[in-house]
Amino acid sequence: MTDKKNLRTPIVCVMGHVDHGKTTLLDKIRGTAIVSGEAGAITQHIGATEVPIDVIVNKLGDPRLRDRFMVPGLLFIDTPGHHAFTTLRSRGGALADLAIVVVDINEGFKPQTYESLQILKRFKTPFVVVANKIDRIGGWASHKDMPFAATFKQQSPDVQGRLETKLYEVIGELYNQGFAAERYDRVTNFQKTLGVVPASAVTGEGIPDVLMVLLGLAQKFLEANLQYSAKNPGIGTVLEVKEEKGLGATLDVILYDGTLKKGDTVVIGSLGEPIRTKVRALLKPRELSEIRYESKFKQVSKVTAAAGVKISAPGLEGALAGSPIRVSTEENLEEIVAQVKSEIDEVRIDTGSVGVMIKADTLGSLEALVHEFQKDEVPIRKAEVGDISHRDAVEASTVEDPLYSVLIGFNVKVHPDARDFLQESTVKVFTSDVIYRLVEDYQKYVKEQQE
Ligand code: GDP
Ligand code: MG
């Protein structure tokens, strides 16, 4: 029997197409957790929100469920989108243990829906699909925060029929993408079949069901992954490098194993040699009741996985979003530095002499982008984290083959001096915040060139 104490909170990312309701869903989950009564039950982290199991079980309205689930709750990453998902990488995979893919039931699949599914398939991450905005179905009678089955029963047969039709369009699309899917309450084996929950992020209908399916997935698929010990040295991923007033460069980190303490020596990935520094302060957001304080943050002496925390320390300027952060002792410092370095190098691309140049904003997105272009057998000359600089522009312009005199930028800026240079040059530039679109646009360009 697994010991409950050794299971950490699973980390959940919300993905899906823009405007399909990711942010609203996250707000709803946070909101219902607060409203459900237990003040302080919900814990605000840096970059994430923790919903404890008791709050979820209360919502489900069946106290017997309390003993069925082993995990202590769910930790939702506050930044929605597959961007956060890919940024949050860990060695050999994704940091998020679970995901929610939100799709507007009235609009159906869109580019970022497909992209989310591709990413999750690649990382073999268990997920649930939320068929959102059911309250927009013609004639729908809303019942605030009700479980799906209960609100569905109260709809007229016409409305029920409309929902089923739209739902099975979503299920059909999933099938085309290689997923056997079914309305979640009709799934008998979640190992074989993907659950789809009809819901509304605005009215809260179906949201208890979403939480229950997530807990079920954690229970079925993740027990081994969630084993951890608070005694382990802390390991995390850098979510963001952020300038804070009075603190300088700080790191927002999601810790996924062990414990991180004030004063610990940590090693962090950067573009050059890994950074070695000592944690000066660990910061958490203040509770709403504490806003009389000047600073948004309060100090804590340690955090235990899974948690989101802000780290203040000297020398963090060059840290890379998406890179690992590991606690070391004096004895194993060199070993840990080598480990972090090799984790970063895994992502970097051997610079071939021929190929396109790729720039991305984080290590995780770079990895995803490189993967997609390699899948299409597009040669890559260089792949780096960072904005498109004048130097990049010049370098691309020296390539004669128009197929490779190409700059591909994901979620990065083009520096003004680079922009000026590029306007005068024949270099082809593609920028987007959708990976899929970059791949498609490049393919289209290649076809045009070959005609
Ligand atoms: P995101 O881009 O995926 O984060 O989408 P948002 O959460 O920002 O939602 C986009 C728009 O859809 C907003 O105007 C929301 O109020 C609305 N919306 C989101 N979920 C629902 C829903 O379940 N029902 C209805 N009627 N509107 C929704
Ligand atoms: Mg949003």
Side-chain angles (χ1 to χ4, degrees):
M1 171 102 184
T2 325
D3 186 351
K4 271 192 190 192
K5 282 198 203 85
N6 296 331
L7 286 189
R8 67 162 172 79
T9 317
I11 299 165
V12 189
C13 252
V14 180
M15 301 163 79
H17 195 72
V18 63
D19 281 348
H20 281 196
K22 300 179 294 294
T23 303
T24 312
L25 181 70
L26 275 164
D27 286 349
K28 188 73 194 176
I29 290 170
R30 270 194 296 255
T32 47
I34 292 166
V35 177
S36 68
E38 312 90 318
I42 179 165
T43 316
Q44 195 55 54
H45 292 239
I46 295 282
T49 302
E50 185 180 345
V51 184
I53 187 81
D54 287 336
V55 171
I56 299 174
V57 168
N58 268 355
K59 267 212 86 49
L60 297 170
D62 183 355
R64 283 170 308 175
L65 290 172
R66 181 69 189 84
D67 297 322
R68 244 183 60 197
F69 297 118
M70 310 279 288
V71 296
L74 297 167
L75 186 78
F76 290 89
I77 300 297
D78 285 340
T79 323
H82 42 263
H83 194 52
F85 183 90
T86 49
T87 297
L88 287 168
R89 59 188 300 285
S90 64
R91 180 154 234 174
L95 177 59
D97 302 294
L98 297 168
I100 301 175
V101 173
V102 180
V103 52
D104 183 334
I105 193 168
N106 304 294
E107 274 211 336
F109 277 43
K110 292 279 164 179
Q112 282 161 302
T113 323
Y114 294 112
E115 188 161 291
S116 305
L117 295 172
Q118 279 173 10
I119 292 169
L120 294 170
K121 193 188 265 180
R122 175 151 77 89
F123 286 103
K124 299 189 173 69
T125 307
F127 65 100
V128 58
V129 175
V130 171
N132 194 34
K133 307 199 187 182
I134 56 170
D135 59 297
R136 286 248 182 98
I137 290 172
W140 185 267
S142 288
H143 303 91
K144 201 169 169 295
D145 297 334
M146 229 185 226
F148 171 72
T151 183
F152 186 67
K153 239 188 264 160
Q154 304 200 26
Q155 309 298 322
S156 71
D158 273 11
V159 174
Q160 289 184 346
R162 275 198 280 280
L163 180 133
E164 293 279 21
T165 305
K166 287 173 189 244
L167 180 68
Y168 279 90
E169 278 165 19
V170 169
I171 287 172
E173 280 278 19
L174 286 165
Y175 180 82
N176 292 339
Q177 297 304 304
F179 295 99
E182 190 36 287
R183 203 174 88 184
Y184 78 101
D185 52 334
R186 294 171 178 153
V187 174
T188 48
N189 182 348
F190 280 90
Q191 228 118 5
K192 291 201 181 116
T193 312
L194 187 62
V196 184
V197 183
S200 165
V202 165
T203 68
E205 288 161 288
I207 303 304
D209 315 64
V210 174
L211 297 173
M212 191 172 68
V213 175
L214 286 171
L215 288 176
L217 291 176
Q219 187 91 348
K220 274 226 167 59
F221 296 106
L222 299 175
E223 273 197 37
N225 295 1
L226 298 175
Q227 295 287 338
Y228 91 113
S229 166
K231 289 192 201 94
N232 289 348
I235 311 176
T237 299
V238 177
L239 182 60
E240 217 177 325
V241 185
K242 249 186 184 161
E243 201 67 31
E244 296 286 352
K245 230 169 88 193
L247 295 173
T250 67
L251 302 184
D252 289 0
V253 165
I254 304 293
L255 193 74
Y256 62 89
D257 194 8
T259 297
L260 172 64
K261 297 190 290 292
K262 184 177 169 173
D264 273 350
T265 298
V266 286
V267 179
I268 305 143
S270 84
L271 281 176
E273 274 296 300
I275 297 165
R276 313 153 183 225
T277 186
K278 250 192 174 59
V279 176
R280 188 160 52 199
L282 292 173
L283 302 160
K284 287 265 192 144
R286 282 195 191 283
E287 309 294 326
L288 281 175
S289 57
E290 302 173 309
I291 45 175
R292 61 184 182 278
Y293 292 94
E294 209 160 285
S295 156
K296 299 183 280 194
F297 308 111
K298 64 177 172 203
Q299 289 213 27
V300 293
S301 57
K302 64 171 185 182
V303 287
T304 297
V309 67
K310 184 182 280 296
I311 297 177
S312 166
L316 295 178
E317 290 75 20
L320 259 186
S323 71
I325 171 163
R326 288 174 173 268
V327 172
S328 86
T329 59
E330 230 163 88
E331 294 75 51
N332 71 1
L333 180 61
E334 290 316 316
E335 199 181 309
I336 298 284
V337 168
Q339 203 170 358
V340 167
K341 211 168 149 47
S342 87
E343 281 177 61
I344 303 274
D345 286 343
E346 269 170 27
V347 181
R348 232 177 258 163
I349 278 298
D350 277 341
T351 37
S353 49
V354 190
V356 300
M357 200 190 288
I358 298 180
K359 306 283 302 217
D361 61 338
T362 74
L363 211 55
S365 55
L366 187 68
E367 186 181 38
L369 209 58
V370 163
H371 175 87
E372 288 306 317
F373 278 91
Q374 281 180 333
K375 211 170 68 186
D376 279 5
E377 294 176 1
V378 177
I380 300 167
R381 171 183 153 88
K382 198 173 196 179
E384 275 180 354
V385 173
D387 291 333
I388 294 177
S389 67
H390 183 255
R391 202 187 48 142
D392 297 330
V394 172
E395 205 176 319
S397 76
T398 62
V399 179
E400 270 172 32
D401 188 340
L403 293 186
Y404 304 132
S405 186
V406 168
L407 275 167
I408 290 158
F410 178 76
N411 235 8
V412 294
K413 292 194 200 73
V414 181
H415 287 171
D417 52 347
R419 183 166 314 216
D420 294 345
F421 180 89
L422 287 165
Q423 262 162 10
E424 305 292 314
S425 82
T426 56
V427 176
K428 188 79 187 157
V429 185
F430 300 93
T431 54
S432 175
D433 55 1
V434 183
I435 292 177
Y436 178 88
R437 195 157 290 153
L438 286 169
V439 176
E440 273 194 358
D441 288 352
Y442 180 71
Q443 282 167 338
K444 217 159 83 199
Y445 169 72
V446 170
K447 253 202 202 115
E448 283 164 13
Q449 289 296 313
Q450 285 166 345
E451 272 161 13

